[in-house]
Amino acid sequence: MKEEVGAMPTVREVTVELLRELGMTTIFGNPGSTELPMLKELPGDFRYVMGLHEGAVVGMADGYAQGTRQAALVNLHTSAGLGNAMGAIVTACHNRAPLVVTAGQQDRRHLALEPMLSGRLVELARPYVKWSNEPARAQDVPRTLSRAYHTAMQHPRGPVFVSIPMDDWDKEASPLESRAVSHRTAPDPESLEAAARTLRESRNPAMVAGGGVDRCGAWKEAVLLAERLRAPVWAAPVWPQAGFPQTHPLFRGHLPPAQAAIAQRLSGHDAVLVLGAPVFLYYPYVPGPVLEPGTALVHITEDPQEAAYAAAGTSVVGDVALAARGLLELLPEIDRELPDPSPEPPVPEARTPLPVDYVACELARRMPEDAILTDEASSHMGITGRYLRTSRPGSYYVTGSGGLGFAMPAAVGLQLASPERRVVCVVGDGASLYAPQALWSAARYGAPVLFVVLNNGQYAILKAFSEFIETGKNIPSLDLPHLDIPRIAEGFGCGAGTAERPEELGTELDRALSSDRPYLLNVMVDRRVEPLV
């Protein structure tokens, strides 16, 4: 409809222009009645990516935001839809994924009567978002969304939430002026100099790299720092994104997520630089020192809260890339031999049932060099990580919260963000059932993700944890019989197959990776339970 001369634009019209300006023309959603007014007359340059469950919607947006390094827009259905999505929002919070999550509130004109579909949306979202708000007036909706975007993008990045009453969209609103906001914070120079002094005086330093390296675009700096210090590098116990190339000679693998084990692994080093990771993220309670006595710890993080609760050391808060560049300027070349590289992992044996290391090795041999990997095979990460090694930034993603249901929808979002690269999702059979709706979205929007299900017919990670904490072997419901996962995939419109023997695995992987449509490969693997730590 042609706008009348002199007429005020509507909230919808002002918001559409704002979203264009911010580059948020892709909307991930699962709409309900309170969201329909927002979507009315959606312009042709906008793309609406539909998900069949709110958790899958947020997971796709999480992957898309991390893949594009820009805030993604999410549209959920009032309190019920937001409630369904909260587990995925918790994961996005831990992933530091910049999301602007919206939900439709009931019509303002009868909110006082608490009509059906009204809800306490702001309070529901608040614990796991950076900011949660419902505008006081319809006219405030565009400005609130602008604030939400810049809050989500400010380091440490993360989700924000805006509740929008459904009758706001057709109200009049004043246009917003374009504005720029800096989203990076430089570290304190004196603190950085003190950190550099500790590292200069070290005779045998080590480095621990985490997801903040990739989030802040600091891969190059991390490699240069490790080489400058002649320091071996471990991956943080849990890293939502890879912080260091796993093919580099200085890489030593992942630290175990337990206190005593980390201290033991890093013993012998007189200084440890933790770059873009917490100090430290533990899982089972295994008491012990954070580090052995006499080991200095320097912590670089973009998150003030992460610095505040660190168990030890000196923390420097600021953009990880800026901090790493500052350290490189302050550290001299060191005349010290490089440590010997780690030995290559052994060539696995081909047998039936398929060993997980053999499956990982065969997949690694066939994956494109620039493939993007999402990983939610929790029982097997210690094994798969030896073979599915990341060599470039923006290539590895895992849940930062420990909750299931991230990897499959995130893989779809990452594929939409990077259509020129192949995305592979490795997921356990139990985990694959937390967000199977992502398969439909992959088929619907032409995202040719390869989903590899490592099917051992059980919640093996829980069996390993049960053994670790000595609860006995009588925990109920840890076996998962009678799952026909390929038929689920086919029902959502994806190609699917099963591999039980070595010769089938190679054939199926070749078929899947040559396909231009999403494909789920159900791989029947050894039921052996790996030790937790």
Side-chain angles (χ1 to χ4, degrees):
M1 181 185 301
K2 188 174 180 179
E3 187 179 315
E4 295 179 15
V5 177
M8 287 278 285
T10 64
V11 168
R12 182 186 300 102
E13 290 166 340
V14 175
T15 299
V16 163
E17 288 305 314
L18 170 68
L19 295 177
R20 279 199 186 103
E21 183 180 298
L22 297 175
M24 290 199 295
T25 56
T26 295
I27 305 172
F28 295 87
N30 181 279
S33 53
T34 52
E35 291 70 47
L36 295 178
M38 173 185 176
L39 304 176
K40 185 177 77 173
E41 299 173 357
L42 195 67
D45 59 326
F46 279 64
R47 173 173 60 168
Y48 192 89
V49 178
M50 176 74 167
L52 302 184
H53 184 275
E54 291 87 349
V57 166
V58 173
M60 287 190 293
D62 188 335
Y64 188 81
Q66 293 195 66
T68 60
R69 301 182 186 270
Q70 294 294 324
L73 181 60
V74 180
N75 179 231
L76 303 176
H77 179 44
T78 193
S79 54
L82 178 60
N84 281 343
M86 278 308 300
I89 290 173
V90 170
T91 293
C93 171
H94 286 280
N95 288 351
R96 306 290 193 265
L99 303 181
V100 176
V101 181
T102 65
Q105 178 63 281
Q106 251 284 7
D107 194 302
R108 286 184 190 270
R109 292 168 292 189
H110 66 164
L111 269 179
L113 302 177
E114 297 197 16
M116 181 179 176
L117 299 182
S118 64
R120 297 166 60 184
L121 279 66
V122 171
E123 293 93 331
L124 176 59
R126 180 168 286 140
Y128 282 96
V129 296
K130 295 180 68 177
W131 183 56
S132 187
N133 185 263
E134 183 174 289
R137 307 176 306 155
Q139 293 83 356
D140 296 331
V141 168
R143 190 172 299 280
T144 301
L145 289 170
S146 175
R147 176 178 173 179
Y149 169 83
H150 291 297
T151 301
M153 289 293 291
Q154 186 73 41
H155 286 290
R157 292 176 172 177
V160 297
F161 176 74
V162 180
S163 167
I164 307 174
M166 62 185 296
D167 60 316
D168 283 2
W169 294 100
D170 290 319
K171 300 292 195 306
E172 292 184 342
S174 300
L176 282 183
E177 291 185 10
S178 176
R179 57 192 305 267
V181 177
S182 171
H183 300 134
R184 306 174 78 182
T185 303
D188 169 55
E190 292 182 5
S191 299
L192 206 59
E193 168 58 42
R197 188 181 313 118
T198 298
L199 296 172
R200 280 197 302 267
E201 295 171 356
S202 169
R203 297 182 306 278
N204 184 23
M207 194 165 103
V208 177
V213 173
D214 204 1
R215 286 194 299 268
C216 295
W219 259 55
K220 177 182 176 182
E221 290 82 358
V223 172
L224 291 173
L225 266 177
E227 293 173 348
R228 178 76 54 88
L229 291 169
R230 302 291 201 265
V233 180
W234 278 267
V238 177
W239 53 355
Q241 293 172 250
F244 198 83
Q246 297 168 335
T247 53
H248 194 284
L250 290 173
F251 187 69
R252 294 294 181 270
H254 287 73
L255 289 177
Q259 198 157 327
I262 290 177
Q264 191 278 327
R265 192 70 55 89
L266 296 175
S267 64
H269 295 284
D270 59 351
V272 175
L273 170 62
V274 178
L275 193 65
V279 180
F280 289 104
L281 190 58
Y282 304 120
Y283 178 32
Y285 177 65
V286 184
V290 179
L291 292 173
E292 297 293 343
T295 302
L297 191 150
V298 174
H299 179 214
I300 307 291
T301 175
E302 81 270 35
D303 186 351
Q305 291 301 315
E306 198 171 270
Y309 68 70
T314 299
S315 294
V316 180
V317 178
D319 182 279
V320 175
L322 297 179
R325 290 171 201 162
L327 286 177
L328 285 167
E329 293 175 0
L330 295 167
L331 290 172
E333 294 290 342
I334 296 172
D335 185 16
R336 182 165 57 219
E337 291 293 323
L338 283 168
D340 293 332
S342 296
E344 288 293 312
V347 177
E349 179 186 353
R351 65 176 188 271
T352 304
L354 289 165
V356 172
D357 56 357
Y358 178 77
V359 176
C361 184
E362 290 300 299
L363 177 58
R365 286 180 52 228
R366 291 169 167 82
M367 276 171 49
E369 189 176 341
D370 67 344
I372 298 172
L373 180 70
T374 67
D375 191 350
E376 200 166 275
S378 306
S379 309
H380 307 300
M381 285 182 179
I383 299 173
T384 57
R386 297 178 208 145
Y387 299 93
L388 298 172
R389 295 184 290 181
T390 302
S391 62
R392 61 185 66 193
S395 298
Y396 179 83
Y397 300 88
V398 68
T399 172
S401 69
L404 301 179
F406 164 76
M408 292 177 73
V412 179
L414 284 159
Q415 190 70 83
L416 295 175
S418 302
E420 73 286 357
R421 299 174 68 183
R422 192 59 182 265
V423 177
V424 176
C425 172
V426 177
V427 62
D429 51 336
S432 73
L433 301 179
Y434 278 73
Q437 300 88 350
L439 296 167
W440 180 87
S441 297
R444 172 68 178 82
Y445 299 102
V449 178
L450 168 57
F451 300 93
V452 179
V453 180
L454 301 181
N455 190 338
N456 57 19
Q458 60 188 334
Y459 283 129
I461 186 69
L462 295 182
K463 290 186 177 182
F465 194 83
S466 178
E467 290 181 10
F468 186 83
I469 62 175
E470 300 178 346
T471 58
K473 297 185 178 180
N474 296 320
I475 304 298
S477 302
L478 298 187
D479 290 307
L480 304 172
H482 314 308
L483 291 179
D484 195 339
I485 297 173
R487 287 185 67 183
I488 295 173
E490 290 170 346
F492 281 124
C494 291
T498 294
E500 298 186 46
R501 297 185 294 275
E503 61 271 19
E504 296 173 339
L505 178 65
T507 300
E508 284 291 332
L509 284 172
D510 290 339
R511 176 186 294 120
L513 288 168
S514 63
S515 175
D516 59 358
R517 60 187 290 236
Y519 194 92
L520 182 143
L521 178 56
N522 181 46
V523 184
M524 307 305 296
V525 297
D526 193 331
R527 286 177 57 89
R528 183 175 41 189
V529 177
E530 296 293 322
L532 187 67
V533 175

